[in-house]
Amino acid sequence: MAIEDVLPTIILVAVIFFAYRWLTGSKTPADPFHGVRRDMVEAVISAFPDVPVDNVVYSLTRTRSAQSTSEIILERGTLPAPPTGFVIPDSLRPAAAAVPVPAPSSQSQQSAPATKPQSLIERYNLSAKLDQTPSEESGKWEATRENREKDLRARKEKMILEARRKLLEKQAQAAQAAKVE
């Protein structure tokens, strides 16, 4: 074959290939929710409960990754709002958000007692350990999973108690400074 015959042949093959792809392509629009799962939505919502579910699902349809969506929230502080025609299927709504909650009436708002948010001390049952002095840990890697879990739990408790101690010291310093003025 001569060089004059190769170029038209390549062009003809490319045109036939693209025509075949166009003719056999899907006639229905692609599913925008392909690859987005409910557990991904729930993971992002549990980490960032103040971000609306619609924004989370819209971002997940674009990124296809809960980690990428979380990074966008951390970088920007929020997610872009979805377009007005964007409808989320019920299969992607988190379990708590899938059930519509009726709006409370003014009577039930007045009669319902205000619940006090639970502190970390109450949540982790550390009230008995408030007066104890913190013990030093060895920092070595434990051999069994149970021992590692105990060590991590003890570290968490120590961090909570240390943060509480520092907060109390800071409040005491602020009270002293207020007395001086």
Side-chain angles (χ1 to χ4, degrees):
M1 274 173 86
I3 190 77
E4 297 89 26
D5 294 336
V6 174
L7 186 59
T9 306
I10 292 174
I11 292 173
L12 181 63
V13 169
V15 168
I16 292 173
F17 173 75
F18 286 116
Y20 175 77
R21 294 271 302 196
W22 181 70
L23 290 173
T24 61
S26 174
K27 300 298 181 202
T28 60
D31 180 20
F33 302 105
H34 177 72
V36 179
R37 297 180 317 272
R38 176 183 273 178
D39 61 324
M40 294 167 67
V41 175
E42 289 175 347
V44 175
I45 291 296
S46 67
F48 305 100
D50 57 327
V51 178
V53 175
D54 296 346
N55 296 12
V56 170
V57 173
Y58 178 65
S59 178
L60 285 171
T61 60
R62 295 170 65 208
T63 63
R64 305 278 192 251
S65 168
Q67 182 178 2
S68 297
T69 298
S70 299
E71 288 174 3
I72 291 171
I73 295 171
L74 290 173
E75 288 174 1
R76 299 180 187 166
T78 186
L79 290 172
T84 54
F86 189 76
V87 178
I88 300 173
D90 288 336
S91 63
L92 291 180
R93 291 207 179 268
V99 178
V101 178
S105 66
S106 60
Q107 294 174 348
S108 65
Q109 287 178 350
Q110 293 173 355
S111 64
T115 59
K116 181 184 172 192
Q118 195 177 26
S119 71
L120 289 175
I121 302 295
E122 294 167 350
R123 187 181 305 164
Y124 291 104
N125 297 324
L126 299 176
S127 56
K129 296 182 180 182
L130 286 176
D131 299 328
Q132 295 178 358
T133 57
S135 61
E136 290 297 320
E137 289 143 11
S138 62
K140 65 178 182 167
W141 182 258
E142 298 293 335
T144 63
R145 179 178 181 176
E146 292 80 22
N147 289 344
R148 286 191 299 268
E149 286 177 357
K150 285 180 189 177
D151 186 41
L152 289 173
R153 206 172 305 116
R155 284 185 188 177
K156 184 187 289 186
E157 290 174 358
K158 181 182 174 188
M159 287 173 38
I160 292 170
L161 293 172
E162 184 68 20
R164 183 176 189 278
R165 185 187 60 77
K166 287 181 181 179
L167 176 68
L168 291 176
E169 287 176 1
K170 188 176 182 180
Q171 288 176 346
Q173 289 175 356
Q176 249 182 356
K179 287 182 184 178
V180 171
E181 294 176 1

